[in-house]
Structure formats: C-alpha cells, structure tokens
Amino acid sequence: MNKNGILLALVSVGLAAGLAAYVRPGAQKRKGPQGEAKLLKGAEVAKEIREDIKKEVEELKAAKGITPGLVTILIGQNPASESYVRAKSKTAEELGYFSIQDSQPDDISEADLLALVDKYNNMPEIHGILVQLPLPKHINEEKVLLAILPQKDVDGFHPTNVGKLLIGNANFLPCTPYGVQELLVRSGTPLKGAEVVVVGRSNIVGKPIAAMLMQKCAAGNATVTVCHTATKDVTFHTKRADVLIVAAGVAEYIKGDMVKPGAVVIDVGVNEVGKTAAGKRKLKGDVAFEECAKVASAITPVPGGVGPMTITMLMKNTLKAAKMANGIDV
C-alpha cells in the first residue's frame, strides 16, 4: 500500500472511531453488560411531579376557587392497606386537596358499601373515589368498582375507563401503569419501535401497561409482548426485550440470565420475604436485583422505584377529574 493509501486508511479508522464515540445531545449513555445499571428512582421523579401538581392546585384555587377532592375508602384492618391509604391521604393533604379517609369495619355489608359509594358519587366536592382493594370475600369487588361513577374513578378500573384506554382516548390511566410509563418517558427510554415485554397479565398492571405502550403516541408506539403463566418459554421473550416490565407477583422471578444486555428493567413487584431484627418488613421485587443490575442499562429498585409513582399518578388523575367536573380543558 502506498503512502496515500495508508493515510486514507488511517483517516477512515479515525472517522469510524469518532462516530462510534459520538452521543447525540440529550441522549442518555447506557452502560454495557457487566456494568452498573442506572437506577430509575421513582421517588425522585414523583417529587418533581408533585411539585408541579401543587403549583397547579394553588393556581386552580386562586383563579377558580376549585379544590380537588379525594375520598379513600378502607374496609377492615389490613396493615399494608392501612399504610397505603394513610400515604394517599397524607399526600393529598400536602398537595392542598380536600381529603377524606373513610375507614369501615371488615364486616360491612355489600349493600352498605354500595350506599357509601353512592353517597360520594353525589358529593360535588369529591372528584375522585378510591376503594382500597382487596375487599373482604363477602363483597363483590366488580360490583363495587362498577358503582363508582366513571368520571370519579381516579384508579382507572371502571370498564368505561378501561375501554377508553384501549381505544387510546383514556380519561384516567390506572395509576401504577401510568407511573411506569412516566418513568420510562422521563428517563429518556426510547419507546418507538422498541421491543417491550410485560411479564404478568393482571387487570391492574399487565394488561393496561401493554395497551398503553402499544398506542400510537409519543409515550408509546412500542411492539408489546405479554408473558403469563401459560407462556411456554418466558426467557425466550424476556431475552429479546429492550424494555422489560415485570409484574408477576413472585419474588425475584426474573434472573440475570433472562435479561437482554442493555435492557431497561422495570420491577413492579413488592413481596414481603420476612422481617428485620427491628420488626420491619423485608421487601423484594419480582426481579433479582443484584443479578439483573449487572446486565441491564437501567433498573428500578424495590422499594423506591415504581411504588412512589403510583400515589403521585393518583393525585394527577384526581386533579384532572376536578378540572373535568368544572368544564376546564385538560
């Protein structure tokens, strides 16, 4: 090779190296396999969203005299449910909402619970109604959820709202999937054309997040696969996922060798696996965190990942319900 050929080869190699090292402005650098995954901390994102909500509530009160109103109905004394409802009520009050926590005994009749829901349906100062699940076995959950007016169903579980979600015209998105979607968007995770695999097909998480991410919109446009208990080879699907969302209800179900190198992993699971010496609950997600963090580019921790987003998106839905009830564009 003559001198000119050698010079051209060197220039070509240098140009290729430069292009390989280039990261477009605003793009997020992702760690490769065996690197340390970026933590997607829902608590931090939730704090930012709540600050925006609080500011909007203050403006709504000042300009229109409107205060968003939320009632949470708790049946019985399930410790986890009690803790969750307290957190919801506390957050609502911090944001300047009118908040009611209505606790009822676990032997309340179905008829009395339905009457209670109807009471709040007819209270104009209440814009959102949330009945904490699960309910006692003698109460039909579906009947109770159907009793909530769709325009006050800030949990997004009423069949009317589920149907509107499916056709891409949702009033209220279910809070946990909404939080997952917001985490993905705010972390800069590419979704258009991405291979998204959802493990779990529950009505609360799996089905709605699949429907949301396949919608033709900026926060969707993904190709979505849903795995469930009858899926023959879950690993086959999870290994090709650019984004892996796990809501299986099984502690550490997803192992490191089930994750595609560089994938974004969202762990929705919260499983109690014991107690600490101080009596506090030990929690594990549905993902084996230490293993998967070595393979993934980004991952949510448990706790502190998806959990804080759920309550925040409930507050966002309630604010939207208050605007809708007063004819304000949303």
Side-chain angles (χ1 to χ4, degrees):
M1 183 181 292
N2 59 29
K3 289 182 178 180
N4 288 338
I6 294 171
L7 181 61
L8 181 60
L10 289 171
V11 169
S12 298
V13 170
L15 180 60
L19 288 171
Y22 175 74
V23 178
R24 74 182 186 277
Q28 183 181 9
K29 288 186 178 180
R30 300 280 186 186
K31 298 259 185 180
Q34 306 306 315
E36 185 181 349
K38 176 184 176 180
L39 284 182
L40 301 179
K41 297 181 180 179
E44 294 178 359
V45 177
K47 183 180 178 183
E48 293 174 5
I49 297 171
R50 289 181 195 185
E51 287 171 356
D52 292 341
I53 292 173
K54 187 171 184 179
K55 182 180 178 182
E56 197 168 349
V57 169
E58 290 169 352
E59 291 172 352
L60 193 62
K61 287 180 179 179
K64 303 284 187 179
I66 298 168
T67 300
L70 173 68
V71 60
T72 52
I73 300 173
L74 175 65
I75 310 301
Q77 296 179 315
N78 179 295
S81 293
E82 285 181 322
S83 174
Y84 195 42
V85 166
R86 278 197 303 271
K88 290 173 180 175
S89 298
K90 182 179 179 222
T91 303
E93 289 168 5
E94 288 173 350
L95 295 178
Y97 287 27
F98 170 57
S99 175
I100 298 175
Q101 180 180 329
D102 194 329
S103 298
Q104 297 290 328
D106 56 13
D107 61 353
I108 186 174
S109 69
E110 184 179 282
D112 285 345
L113 179 54
L114 291 171
L116 190 63
V117 169
D118 188 58
K119 167 188 165 184
Y120 290 118
N121 277 338
N122 289 288
M123 284 180 62
E125 62 268 39
I126 291 295
H127 305 106
I129 300 171
L130 185 145
V131 178
Q132 184 64 40
L133 303 179
L135 295 174
K137 292 181 179 179
H138 68 278
I139 296 176
N140 185 320
E141 286 186 0
E142 184 178 357
K143 191 180 289 188
V144 173
L145 294 178
L146 279 169
I148 300 171
L149 289 175
Q151 60 266 35
K152 293 193 178 189
D153 168 42
V154 288
D155 241 353
F157 293 154
H158 192 284
T160 296
N161 289 326
V162 173
K164 288 175 75 71
L165 180 159
L166 196 60
I167 64 172
N169 188 30
N171 283 336
F172 307 114
L173 297 171
C175 302
T176 298
Y178 195 4
V180 168
Q181 186 180 49
E182 196 72 14
L183 262 180
L184 290 170
V185 170
R186 289 185 178 235
S187 67
T189 301
L191 291 172
K192 184 178 181 180
E195 291 283 347
V196 173
V197 174
V198 179
V199 181
R201 56 179 169 184
S202 72
N203 292 334
I204 296 174
V205 180
K207 291 177 185 175
I209 192 62
M212 289 161 62
L213 294 181
M214 72 172 67
Q215 296 297 329
K216 190 174 183 179
C217 63
N221 256 336
T223 300
V224 183
T225 300
V226 178
C227 296
H228 47 74
T229 51
T231 300
K232 291 180 180 178
D233 188 349
V234 174
T235 302
F236 169 79
H237 297 287
T238 60
K239 285 281 285 185
R240 62 182 179 78
D242 301 312
V243 178
L244 178 59
I245 300 169
V246 189
V250 179
E252 299 188 321
Y253 176 71
I254 298 294
K255 310 298 184 187
D257 61 2
M258 298 172 72
V259 177
K260 175 183 177 180
V264 174
V265 179
I266 305 294
D267 189 351
V268 183
V270 180
N271 306 281
E272 185 173 334
V273 295
K275 302 278 188 182
T276 66
K280 292 184 177 180
R281 297 189 302 157
K282 284 185 181 178
L283 301 177
K284 293 280 187 182
D286 290 354
V287 171
F289 181 83
E290 298 298 333
E291 291 182 30
C292 295
K294 294 176 182 177
V295 184
S297 64
I299 190 169
T300 56
V302 175
V306 174
M309 296 294 294
T310 299
I311 294 176
T312 298
M313 305 325 285
L314 171 68
M315 299 302 139
K316 196 165 183 178
N317 278 346
T318 303
L319 175 58
K320 184 177 182 180
K323 290 180 176 180
M324 289 169 58
N326 288 277
I328 300 171
D329 290 339
V330 293

